Amino acid sequence: MRVLDPDGCPPLEELVAQHVALPEARSGGRAFLRLNMIVSADGGSAVAGVSTGLGNTSDHAVFGALREGADCVLVGMATVVAEQYRAPTTEGLQIYVVTSKNDISGDPELFASGRATLVLPESAGPVPAGVPELRVGKSRVDLAQALEALPGKVVMAEGGPTVAGALVSAGLVDEYFLTVAPRVVGGDSGRVVRGPDADPTPWSLQHGFVDDDGFLFLRYGRSSAATGGA
Ligand SMILES: NC(=O)c1ccc[n+]([C@@H]2O[C@H](COP(=O)([O-])OP(=O)(O)OC[C@H]3O[C@@H](n4cnc5c(N)ncnc54)[C@H](OP(=O)(O)O)[C@@H]3O)[C@@H](O)[C@H]2O)c1
């Protein structure tokens, strides 16, 4: 039994660094996958169609630190379009966008930057000139194959709930970072991980802290993968 202790707390920057520290032992043979999501206190995943309304400064710090420690981002096309993704400021970071088709019209600016790779199935049509692509799976993207195509890389999955659900149910998530925002937002945005049933075996809480605004930051690991953090 433990309590979250508000005394003797290091500064935010230090806490965030501890929170996102990469474990030394990582999955071999495929990318190491860290899923990061934010949820409202009533289980919502978005406000007015975007998750940006849920976060705060500390959440941005955790998000930024996770990106800094990653080689690639993996994200669904619906999130890219809803949140109008831009070329990442982190040097060398590539955004891998999961989609079933070759349509980049929802966010042409991101794809024009050359910093976004379309992850699409073999059945999809040819991608526009200059847009990098990764083809995995026949009529749907095979996410396991996508991660196998990125061996040794650290991949940060940024959702949305559909992609998160597919990754979780396929057992591909090595670490799960969850921010619980002290907001009760109502609406019908639904859960942050959505899709087929997943293995209900408990995860291991590796690290956690509460910031001055009452945002709760949790880091869970699979027992075989997570060794760092707290
Ligand atoms: N709370 C949070 O942390 C958080 C994080 C991210 C996003 N969000 C919110 O979540 C919402 C979007 O999430 P979402 O669940 O609707 O969508 P999503 O997971 O972002 O993207 C779903 C799309 O990804 C593609 N896709 C997923 N799996 C695929 C597969 N196996 N093969 C081929 N394509 C695949 C499809 O794109 P095509 O339709 O192009 O084929 C599908 O429509 C937005 O409101 C966003 O703001 C919240």
Side-chain angles (χ1 to χ4, degrees), residues 37-38 45-46 49-51 54 76-79 82-83 98-101 140-141 158-163 192 194:
M37 301 297 283
I38 184 167
S45 56
V50 286
S51 61
L54 291 172
M77 181 62 95
T79 294
E83 305 199 353
V98 182
T99 179
S100 60
K101 40 194 187 289
R140 298 287 294 163
V141 167
E158 296 180 355
T162 306
V163 166
V192 288
R194 207 158 48 215

Side-chain angles (χ1 to χ4, degrees), residues 168-169 171 173 176 197-205 220-224:
V168 168
S169 66
V173 177
Y176 177 34
D197 286 348
D199 176 1
T201 306
W203 291 57
S204 145
L205 180 62
Y220 296 96
R222 311 290 296 197
S223 50
S224 60

Side-chain angles (χ1 to χ4, degrees), residues 100-226:
S100 60
K101 40 194 187 289
N102 59 348
D103 180 6
I104 58 164
S105 61
D107 193 351
E109 197 178 314
L110 172 67
F111 291 100
S113 72
R115 301 287 298 280
T117 298
L118 277 177
V119 184
L120 67 183
E122 286 160 20
S123 59
V127 305
V131 176
E133 66 170 61
L134 172 62
R135 292 203 184 244
V136 278
K138 288 199 169 124
S139 57
R140 298 287 294 163
V141 167
D142 184 322
L143 292 166
Q145 275 184 36
L147 296 180
E148 277 160 22
L150 298 166
K153 303 284 189 200
V154 175
V155 175
M156 177 189 179
E158 296 180 355
T162 306
V163 166
L167 291 167
V168 168
S169 66
L172 296 170
V173 177
D174 296 300
E175 290 190 315
Y176 177 34
F177 292 80
L178 179 67
T179 301
V180 183
R183 306 187 199 284
V184 178
V185 300
D188 59 0
S189 63
R191 298 169 52 171
V192 288
V193 176
R194 207 158 48 215
D197 286 348
D199 176 1
T201 306
W203 291 57
S204 145
L205 180 62
Q206 298 293 304
H207 195 262
F209 69 94
V210 186
D211 76 358
D212 291 340
D213 297 336
F215 280 67
L216 180 59
F217 296 87
L218 301 168
R219 169 184 174 174
Y220 296 96
R222 311 290 296 197
S223 50
S224 60

Side-chain angles (χ1 to χ4, degrees), residues 30-70:
R30 67 162 170 84
F32 184 77
L33 190 82
R34 316 181 99 187
L35 171 65
N36 182 60
M37 301 297 283
I38 184 167
V39 68
S40 70
D42 59 331
S45 56
V47 179
V50 286
S51 61
T52 39
L54 291 172
N56 75 339
T57 311
S58 309
D59 181 60
H60 297 160
V62 169
F63 183 88
L66 282 168
R67 276 196 168 194
E68 285 291 331

